[in-house]
């Protein structure tokens, strides 16, 4: 899953898709094409910055950022177009524009989101987040982060099923960095098999995240080696979708995992 951040302050590519105040749609589509050519099966288009302390984006602004990109990705590329949004109106509009996956960092908890997602008939990624982006990183505390995340995701799955969203439409995501300390993130990565045991595909987003900065002191643009290591560690523990800013490098790393898998069971 390649990340297309259409926010001006996206921490990972610092709004490089902007020309002044406006999103540069041609530059955005260049990025989309290169990610697809590099092997991305899904492109995740987000219009709301979830950076801690980021100013809330208006609904119209989020629509203006996301919908033109969804339309052109749908028209020009063979990838699944995922939309990273918590807003029900954006979910409905994006589905009408050709989106193939709803990626909600708030797991459809916003007013109207559950009904909107169900109405689109699209698959949904349910992610765990503790609190809201502007407060989530101030001393997050859990009795048992793995159990809390598993319980939350199980509850959201049950709520979705009650709304008519079938289990086979759902993807789960522990939400690395969303209200978690470095230790919480490492505990979740180590326990990924337990989350995978819930029986649904896992999506993992560790690419360029601050836990790498905290552990290694690396700036955002120097986090590729650690991001690749984390991608492999996650796949080996059950992740089946890796959300990445660096698709070509990640595809190569995961091709090594696949080569070993293709060898099959332990050779006699
Ligand atoms: C500031 C903080 C800017 C966090 C960007 C981010 C995930 C996601 C994001 C994830 C799923 C980033 C994140 N992260 N969706 N959207 N899982 N499902 O690192 O981990 O891009 S935004």
């Amino acid at each position: 899953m390649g990340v297309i951040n259409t926010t001006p302050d996206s921490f990972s590519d610092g709004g490089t898709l902007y020309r002044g105040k406006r999103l540069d749609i041609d530059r955005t589509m260049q990025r989309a094409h290169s990610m697809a050519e590099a092997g991305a099966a899904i492109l995740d288009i987000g219009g709301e910055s979830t950076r801690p302390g980021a100013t809330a984006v208006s609904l119209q602004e989020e629509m203006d950022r996301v919908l033109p990109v969804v339309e052109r990705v749908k028209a020009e590329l063979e990838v699944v177009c995922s939309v990273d949004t918590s807003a029900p109106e954006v979910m409905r509009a994006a589905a009408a524009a050709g989106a193939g996956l709803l990626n909600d960092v708030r797991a459809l908890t916003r007013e109207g989101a559950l009904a909107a997602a169900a109405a689109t008939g699209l698959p949904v990624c349910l992610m765990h987040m503790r609190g809201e982006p502007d407060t989530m990183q101030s001393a997050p505390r859990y009795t048992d982060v793995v159990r809390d995340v598993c319980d939350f995701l199980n509850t959201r799955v049950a709520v979705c099923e009650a709304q008519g969203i079938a289990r086979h439409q759902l993807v789960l995501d522990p939400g690395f960095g969303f209200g978690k300390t470095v230790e919480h993130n490492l505990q979740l990565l180590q326990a990924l098999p337990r989350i995978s045991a819930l029986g649904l595909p896992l999506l993992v987003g560790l690419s360029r995240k601050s836990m790498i900065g905290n552990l290694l002191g690396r700036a955002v643009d120097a986090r590729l080696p650690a991001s690749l290591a984390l991608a492999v560690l996650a796949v080996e523990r059950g992740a089946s979708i890796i959300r990445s800013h660096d698709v070509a490098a990640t595809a190569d790393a995961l091709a090594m995992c696949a080569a070993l898998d293709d060898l099959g069971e332990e050779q006699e």
Side-chain angles (χ1 to χ4, degrees):
M1 176 188 264
V3 181
I4 302 273
N5 272 341
T6 67
T7 63
D9 60 3
S10 53
F11 90 108
S12 57
D13 35 31
T16 53
L17 298 178
Y18 272 67
R19 196 188 293 282
K21 280 259 177 261
R22 295 193 59 75
L23 181 71
D24 181 332
I25 186 73
D26 292 331
R27 186 176 292 188
T28 301
M29 287 312 298
Q30 278 167 10
R31 171 96 40 99
H33 279 265
S34 68
M35 285 184 157
E37 278 149 32
I42 308 169
L43 293 182
D44 191 37
I45 299 158
E48 177 208 4
S49 173
T50 40
R51 185 171 50 79
T55 47
V57 64
S58 74
L59 183 60
Q60 192 53 54
E61 178 63 28
E62 191 178 352
M63 296 273 209
D64 292 347
R65 288 174 186 170
V66 167
L67 297 182
V69 182
V70 172
E71 283 159 5
R72 282 196 56 179
V73 166
K74 178 71 179 174
E76 299 173 21
L77 295 168
E78 295 296 309
V79 299
V80 170
C81 188
S82 168
V83 177
D84 190 338
T85 186
S86 300
E89 303 87 345
V90 177
M91 292 176 186
R92 292 177 190 273
L101 171 67
L102 299 176
N103 176 26
D104 185 4
V105 297
R106 295 180 180 82
L108 302 180
T109 53
R110 276 261 170 87
E111 177 74 30
L114 192 57
T120 67
L122 292 180
V124 184
C125 177
L126 302 169
M127 194 196 84
H128 174 273
M129 169 158 60
R130 165 70 50 95
E132 276 295 319
D134 52 356
T135 57
M136 64 188 177
Q137 286 309 107
S138 50
R141 251 186 320 283
Y142 300 82
T143 44
D144 173 346
V145 64
V146 175
R147 191 190 59 206
D148 289 2
V149 167
C150 286
D151 288 352
F152 171 84
L153 292 174
N154 260 327
T155 302
R156 298 313 297 165
V157 167
V159 165
C160 286
E161 287 185 288
Q163 186 76 23
I165 302 173
R167 278 182 76 85
H168 64 73
Q169 288 178 259
L170 296 173
V171 171
L172 303 182
D173 183 335
F176 288 101
F178 286 88
K180 284 97 176 176
T181 62
V182 170
E183 189 181 5
H184 292 142
N185 289 323
L186 291 172
Q187 287 168 346
L188 285 166
L189 179 55
Q190 188 177 61
L192 220 47
R194 272 175 62 190
I195 306 172
S196 183
L198 298 180
L200 291 172
L202 293 190
L203 191 158
V204 163
L206 280 158
S207 174
R208 300 189 188 174
K209 283 202 171 166
S210 57
M211 78 180 264
I212 299 170
N214 296 342
L215 287 170
L216 300 179
R218 294 276 183 275
V220 171
D221 58 4
R223 294 178 183 173
L224 179 56
S227 297
L228 297 178
L230 290 170
V232 169
L233 290 168
V235 164
E236 289 190 326
R237 284 161 181 76
S240 47
I241 303 173
I242 297 297
R243 185 173 181 280
S244 171
H245 304 84
D246 305 288
V247 172
T250 305
D252 280 2
L254 299 188
M256 296 303 105
C257 297
L260 212 52
D261 282 350
D262 293 349
L263 196 56
E265 293 312 304
E266 196 75 17
Q267 300 306 302
E268 297 312 304

